[in-house]
Structure formats: C-alpha cells, structure tokens
C-alpha cells in the first residue's frame, strides 16, 4: 500500500519497520525507491546520494548502504527480497505481489471508459473501488528530504500525477452519482476532490452544478468565490469555461 502511509503485507503479517539496529526512515525510503525503480533497479551511487546527501565520502556511503540493505532484507524476512547485481540493487517481490498504485490507475481508466459508454451502474462500482484505494499522497509518510531530493526527482512527479488522477476520479464519480439523482453523494465526492486540490476547476465546476440542482444558489455563489480565492492563493487565473459556467448558472 503506497497511497498514503507505506504499508507492506507479507501474507497476513504487517511489516514492522522498527527493527533493532535499523534506521526505519531510511529503510522505508530504500524500499519505496527500489519499488519505484522496478526491474531496472538502482545503482548504489544513486541510493547513497539519496539517503546520505550530506557530503560524506563514497566509502562511508557504501558502508551505510550495505547496512541499510541488510536491514531491509531482515525487515522483509527474506535475504532474496533485495537482489544485488554488481553495483545495482533490485527489489525482488514474490510472484503475484499486489501493489495499490497499479490497481488504482487501472480502476480509474476502467471507470472513465464505462462512464463514457454510459454504463453508469458499472462505473459507480469501479469508481467506488478506486475511491477506497486512494488513502493519500504517494508515500506520504516518507521524510521530505528524501522525497524532494535535489539530485533525483524520483517521487514527486508520480505523486502529483496520482493526486491529479484522484481529484479527477472524485469529480467524475460525482457526475455518475448525479446521473441517478444522488446529489448528496455527488457533493461528498466533490468535497473529497476539493480537499485534495481546492483550485481544481473540474471539481469546483461540478460542485457549483450540484448546488444549483439542489436549489442552493447562495452555496453556488460561495463555491465560486472559494474557487477564485484558491486560485489567488497560488497565483493562478481562472479559466474561461468556468467563468461562462458561473454566468450560465447564475441565470438559472
């Protein structure tokens, strides 16, 4: 489970990162980095620079890396889970291992396809499953100094991509709910989207439509003001489409 706090299950056992002699933050970061690196793995120099960027000698970094790899293997309970090929390390997940990121992306794409085909009941089930998977930002509990590495942008682009996908999931889910008159549920999903990104044009637009459908014009106007304030806070400007939508809804 990478969306939200990193959680690793082996069978029915939740991996405990608090192993004696280990540095849990570095061990978790090493696991996450190798997981993201996939089959190609990661060179020892990359890992050393990521985990110890303070300027120690390469020899010290290698020694510390060897220890951290050993602790990760011990934490996972199997020396074969981290393979070394020359200067490259690779995570060797057991066959059939499940990762929430892959399933989340597949469900979002499947839900959108069903929605576009007008298969609303099926889309609602798929979107519901995707909604349950997104528990927060990718690796949200990893230390920022590792996530926002100056030398290796390994996490933030994927984190932002998945965050944007989660926002779109929520307001598309709202549209599906609206198709069957479930306005309260639709609004809940818009609010979930806005909790992630208050400046989302899609989520704000859908929320405004829902308020009009509920006959809550004051709430619609307030939503538009909140949207503009969110844009102002990040120094962005509003799109033409939502301006036109607001004028159209104001005449409703």
């Amino acid at each position: 489970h990478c969306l939200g706090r990193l959680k690793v299950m082996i069978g029915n056992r939740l991996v405990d990162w608090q192993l004696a002699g280990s540095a849990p933050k570095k061990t978790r970061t090493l696991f996450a980095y190798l997981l993201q690196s996939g089959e190609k793995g990661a060179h020892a120099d990359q890992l050393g620079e990521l985990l110890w960027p303070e300027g120690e000698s390469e020899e010290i970094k290698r020694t510390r890396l060897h220890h951290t790899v050993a602790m990760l293997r011990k934490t996972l309970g199997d020396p074969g889970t981290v393979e070394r090929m020359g200067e490259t390390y690779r995570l060797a997940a057991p066959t059939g291992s499940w990762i929430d990121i892959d399933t989340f992306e597949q469900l979002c794409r499947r839900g959108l396809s069903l929605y576009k085909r007008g298969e609303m009941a099926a889309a609602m089930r798929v979107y519901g499953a995707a909604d349950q998977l997104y528990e927060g930002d990718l690796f949200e509990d990893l230390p920022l100094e590792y996530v926002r590495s100056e030398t290796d942008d390994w996490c933030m682009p994927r984190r932002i991509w998945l965050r944007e996908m989660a926002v779109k999931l929520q307001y598309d889910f709202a549209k599906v709910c609206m198709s069957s008159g479930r306005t309260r549920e639709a609004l809940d999903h818009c609010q979930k989207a806005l909790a992630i990104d208050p400046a989302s044009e899609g989520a704000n637009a859908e929320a405004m439509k829902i308020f009009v459908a509920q006959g809550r014009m004051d709430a619609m106007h307030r939503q538009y003001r909140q949207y503009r304030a969110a844009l102002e806070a990040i120094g962005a400007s509003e799109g033409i489409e939502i301006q036109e939508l607001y004028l159209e809804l104001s005449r409703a």
Side-chain angles (χ1 to χ4, degrees), residues 228-250:
R228 297 188 67 180
L231 288 176
E232 184 177 351
I234 60 174
S237 56
E238 61 184 307
I240 297 297
E241 289 185 7
I242 196 168
Q243 288 180 353
E244 294 176 346
L245 174 66
Y246 176 67
L247 292 174
E248 178 185 338
L249 294 175
S250 296

mmCIF file of all heavy atoms in Angstrom, residues 228-250:
data_model
loop_
_atom_site.group_PDB
_atom_site.id
_atom_site.type_symbol
_atom_site.label_atom_id
_atom_site.label_comp_id
_atom_site.label_asym_id
_atom_site.label_seq_id
_atom_site.Cartn_x
_atom_site.Cartn_y
_atom_site.Cartn_z
ATOM 1 N N ARG A 228 -12.138 31.112 -6.631
ATOM 2 C CA ARG A 228 -11.306 32.251 -7.016
ATOM 3 C C ARG A 228 -10.258 32.566 -5.929
ATOM 4 O O ARG A 228 -9.121 32.922 -6.233
ATOM 5 C CB ARG A 228 -12.175 33.469 -7.294
ATOM 6 C CG ARG A 228 -13.127 33.278 -8.475
ATOM 7 C CD ARG A 228 -13.838 34.555 -8.863
ATOM 8 N NE ARG A 228 -12.896 35.527 -9.409
ATOM 9 C CZ ARG A 228 -13.271 36.742 -9.825
ATOM 10 N NH1 ARG A 228 -14.543 37.117 -9.727
ATOM 11 N NH2 ARG A 228 -12.379 37.572 -10.323
ATOM 12 N N ALA A 229 -10.648 32.398 -4.688
ATOM 13 C CA ALA A 229 -9.702 32.631 -3.584
ATOM 14 C C ALA A 229 -8.583 31.589 -3.611
ATOM 15 O O ALA A 229 -7.411 31.915 -3.351
ATOM 16 C CB ALA A 229 -10.437 32.582 -2.249
ATOM 17 N N ALA A 230 -8.942 30.337 -3.928
ATOM 18 C CA ALA A 230 -7.930 29.278 -4.008
ATOM 19 C C ALA A 230 -6.951 29.554 -5.137
ATOM 20 O O ALA A 230 -5.740 29.332 -4.999
ATOM 21 C CB ALA A 230 -8.600 27.920 -4.205
ATOM 22 N N LEU A 231 -7.458 30.060 -6.254
ATOM 23 C CA LEU A 231 -6.585 30.411 -7.369
ATOM 24 C C LEU A 231 -5.657 31.564 -6.997
ATOM 25 O O LEU A 231 -4.461 31.554 -7.308
ATOM 26 C CB LEU A 231 -7.416 30.802 -8.590
ATOM 27 C CG LEU A 231 -8.165 29.682 -9.323
ATOM 28 C CD1 LEU A 231 -9.002 30.272 -10.445
ATOM 29 C CD2 LEU A 231 -7.202 28.643 -9.876
ATOM 30 N N GLU A 232 -6.223 32.552 -6.327
ATOM 31 C CA GLU A 232 -5.434 33.718 -5.933
ATOM 32 C C GLU A 232 -4.291 33.312 -4.995
ATOM 33 O O GLU A 232 -3.185 33.853 -5.072
ATOM 34 C CB GLU A 232 -6.333 34.746 -5.258
ATOM 35 C CG GLU A 232 -5.624 36.045 -4.893
ATOM 36 C CD GLU A 232 -6.559 37.073 -4.276
ATOM 37 O OE1 GLU A 232 -7.793 36.851 -4.291
ATOM 38 O OE2 GLU A 232 -6.052 38.095 -3.778
ATOM 39 N N ALA A 233 -4.587 32.329 -4.142
ATOM 40 C CA ALA A 233 -3.584 31.888 -3.167
ATOM 41 C C ALA A 233 -2.366 31.253 -3.834
ATOM 42 O O ALA A 233 -1.261 31.289 -3.281
ATOM 43 C CB ALA A 233 -4.210 30.901 -2.185
ATOM 44 N N ILE A 234 -2.559 30.684 -5.016
ATOM 45 C CA ILE A 234 -1.432 30.041 -5.713
ATOM 46 C C ILE A 234 -0.969 30.863 -6.915
ATOM 47 O O ILE A 234 -0.126 30.412 -7.694
ATOM 48 C CB ILE A 234 -1.790 28.610 -6.160
ATOM 49 C CG1 ILE A 234 -2.989 28.619 -7.128
ATOM 50 C CG2 ILE A 234 -2.072 27.728 -4.959
ATOM 51 C CD1 ILE A 234 -3.289 27.242 -7.722
ATOM 52 N N GLY A 235 -1.550 32.054 -7.074
ATOM 53 C CA GLY A 235 -1.132 32.937 -8.156
ATOM 54 C C GLY A 235 -1.570 32.486 -9.529
ATOM 55 O O GLY A 235 -0.904 32.764 -10.534
ATOM 56 N N ALA A 236 -2.709 31.788 -9.605
ATOM 57 C CA ALA A 236 -3.226 31.307 -10.891
ATOM 58 C C ALA A 236 -4.462 32.108 -11.292
ATOM 59 O O ALA A 236 -5.059 32.810 -10.468
ATOM 60 C CB ALA A 236 -3.564 29.818 -10.800
ATOM 61 N N SER A 237 -4.833 31.999 -12.538
ATOM 62 C CA SER A 237 -6.019 32.708 -13.035
ATOM 63 C C SER A 237 -7.070 31.693 -13.459
ATOM 64 O O SER A 237 -6.748 30.570 -13.854
ATOM 65 C CB SER A 237 -5.662 33.607 -14.213
ATOM 66 O OG SER A 237 -5.043 32.856 -15.246
ATOM 67 N N GLU A 238 -8.331 32.103 -13.384
ATOM 68 C CA GLU A 238 -9.417 31.171 -13.688
ATOM 69 C C GLU A 238 -9.585 30.993 -15.195
ATOM 70 O O GLU A 238 -9.256 31.866 -15.995
ATOM 71 C CB GLU A 238 -10.730 31.664 -13.073
ATOM 72 C CG GLU A 238 -11.186 33.013 -13.583
ATOM 73 C CD GLU A 238 -12.429 33.494 -12.863
ATOM 74 O OE1 GLU A 238 -13.400 32.729 -12.827
ATOM 75 O OE2 GLU A 238 -12.412 34.615 -12.345
ATOM 76 N N GLY A 239 -10.137 29.838 -15.539
ATOM 77 C CA GLY A 239 -10.360 29.532 -16.943
ATOM 78 C C GLY A 239 -11.635 30.172 -17.474
ATOM 79 O O GLY A 239 -12.559 30.481 -16.718
ATOM 80 N N ILE A 240 -11.669 30.340 -18.780
ATOM 81 C CA ILE A 240 -12.836 30.935 -19.439
ATOM 82 C C ILE A 240 -14.076 30.062 -19.252
ATOM 83 O O ILE A 240 -15.180 30.563 -19.011
ATOM 84 C CB ILE A 240 -12.565 31.138 -20.940
ATOM 85 C CG1 ILE A 240 -11.403 32.121 -21.148
ATOM 86 C CG2 ILE A 240 -13.817 31.638 -21.644
ATOM 87 C CD1 ILE A 240 -11.679 33.507 -20.629
ATOM 88 N N GLU A 241 -13.893 28.733 -19.313
ATOM 89 C CA GLU A 241 -15.045 27.832 -19.258
ATOM 90 C C GLU A 241 -15.793 27.946 -17.943
ATOM 91 O O GLU A 241 -17.025 27.959 -17.926
ATOM 92 C CB GLU A 241 -14.594 26.388 -19.498
ATOM 93 C CG GLU A 241 -14.164 26.115 -20.930
ATOM 94 C CD GLU A 241 -13.849 24.652 -21.151
ATOM 95 O OE1 GLU A 241 -14.082 23.837 -20.232
ATOM 96 O OE2 GLU A 241 -13.365 24.321 -22.255
ATOM 97 N N ILE A 242 -15.061 28.027 -16.831
ATOM 98 C CA ILE A 242 -15.770 28.096 -15.552
ATOM 99 C C ILE A 242 -16.387 29.478 -15.346
ATOM 100 O O ILE A 242 -17.440 29.610 -14.702
ATOM 101 C CB ILE A 242 -14.839 27.712 -14.375
ATOM 102 C CG1 ILE A 242 -15.681 27.398 -13.119
ATOM 103 C CG2 ILE A 242 -13.806 28.784 -14.092
ATOM 104 C CD1 ILE A 242 -14.906 26.731 -12.006
ATOM 105 N N GLN A 243 -15.790 30.517 -15.921
ATOM 106 C CA GLN A 243 -16.424 31.836 -15.885
ATOM 107 C C GLN A 243 -17.768 31.797 -16.599
ATOM 108 O O GLN A 243 -18.778 32.314 -16.089
ATOM 109 C CB GLN A 243 -15.519 32.881 -16.562
ATOM 110 C CG GLN A 243 -14.286 33.263 -15.791
ATOM 111 C CD GLN A 243 -13.456 34.300 -16.531
ATOM 112 O OE1 GLN A 243 -13.736 34.650 -17.678
ATOM 113 N NE2 GLN A 243 -12.426 34.797 -15.882
ATOM 114 N N GLU A 244 -17.765 31.179 -17.777
ATOM 115 C CA GLU A 244 -19.001 31.076 -18.557
ATOM 116 C C GLU A 244 -20.029 30.208 -17.843
ATOM 117 O O GLU A 244 -21.234 30.506 -17.869
ATOM 118 C CB GLU A 244 -18.695 30.517 -19.946
ATOM 119 C CG GLU A 244 -17.850 31.461 -20.803
ATOM 120 C CD GLU A 244 -17.462 30.855 -22.137
ATOM 121 O OE1 GLU A 244 -17.615 29.617 -22.288
ATOM 122 O OE2 GLU A 244 -17.005 31.606 -23.022
ATOM 123 N N LEU A 245 -19.548 29.134 -17.208
ATOM 124 C CA LEU A 245 -20.463 28.270 -16.453
ATOM 125 C C LEU A 245 -21.105 29.050 -15.318
ATOM 126 O O LEU A 245 -22.314 28.931 -15.084
ATOM 127 C CB LEU A 245 -19.703 27.063 -15.909
ATOM 128 C CG LEU A 245 -20.505 26.147 -14.967
ATOM 129 C CD1 LEU A 245 -21.648 25.465 -15.716
ATOM 130 C CD2 LEU A 245 -19.588 25.101 -14.320
ATOM 131 N N TYR A 246 -20.299 29.834 -14.611
ATOM 132 C CA TYR A 246 -20.835 30.612 -13.488
ATOM 133 C C TYR A 246 -21.922 31.584 -13.958
ATOM 134 O O TYR A 246 -22.978 31.694 -13.323
ATOM 135 C CB TYR A 246 -19.707 31.371 -12.800
ATOM 136 C CG TYR A 246 -20.190 32.281 -11.694
ATOM 137 C CD1 TYR A 246 -20.750 31.753 -10.534
ATOM 138 C CD2 TYR A 246 -20.097 33.667 -11.816
ATOM 139 C CE1 TYR A 246 -21.207 32.587 -9.518
ATOM 140 C CE2 TYR A 246 -20.546 34.508 -10.810
ATOM 141 C CZ TYR A 246 -21.103 33.965 -9.665
ATOM 142 O OH TYR A 246 -21.553 34.776 -8.660
ATOM 143 N N LEU A 247 -21.697 32.257 -15.056
ATOM 144 C CA LEU A 247 -22.693 33.186 -15.594
ATOM 145 C C LEU A 247 -23.958 32.435 -15.991
ATOM 146 O O LEU A 247 -25.089 32.887 -15.734
ATOM 147 C CB LEU A 247 -22.123 33.936 -16.793
ATOM 148 C CG LEU A 247 -20.998 34.926 -16.486
ATOM 149 C CD1 LEU A 247 -20.414 35.485 -17.786
ATOM 150 C CD2 LEU A 247 -21.485 36.042 -15.580
ATOM 151 N N GLU A 248 -23.775 31.272 -16.589
ATOM 152 C CA GLU A 248 -24.937 30.464 -17.006
ATOM 153 C C GLU A 248 -25.724 29.984 -15.798
ATOM 154 O O GLU A 248 -26.967 30.066 -15.765
ATOM 155 C CB GLU A 248 -24.442 29.265 -17.816
ATOM 156 C CG GLU A 248 -25.546 28.320 -18.269
ATOM 157 C CD GLU A 248 -25.014 27.079 -18.961
ATOM 158 O OE1 GLU A 248 -23.870 27.117 -19.466
ATOM 159 O OE2 GLU A 248 -25.721 26.058 -18.962
ATOM 160 N N LEU A 249 -25.037 29.497 -14.774
ATOM 161 C CA LEU A 249 -25.716 29.006 -13.579
ATOM 162 C C LEU A 249 -26.385 30.146 -12.802
ATOM 163 O O LEU A 249 -27.429 29.930 -12.177
ATOM 164 C CB LEU A 249 -24.720 28.267 -12.669
ATOM 165 C CG LEU A 249 -24.120 26.957 -13.222
ATOM 166 C CD1 LEU A 249 -23.071 26.407 -12.263
ATOM 167 C CD2 LEU A 249 -25.209 25.923 -13.472
ATOM 168 N N SER A 250 -25.774 31.311 -12.854
ATOM 169 C CA SER A 250 -26.348 32.461 -12.137
ATOM 170 C C SER A 250 -27.703 32.863 -12.711
ATOM 171 O O SER A 250 -28.536 33.450 -11.997
ATOM 172 C CB SER A 250 -25.384 33.653 -12.204
ATOM 173 O OG SER A 250 -24.175 33.363 -11.543
#
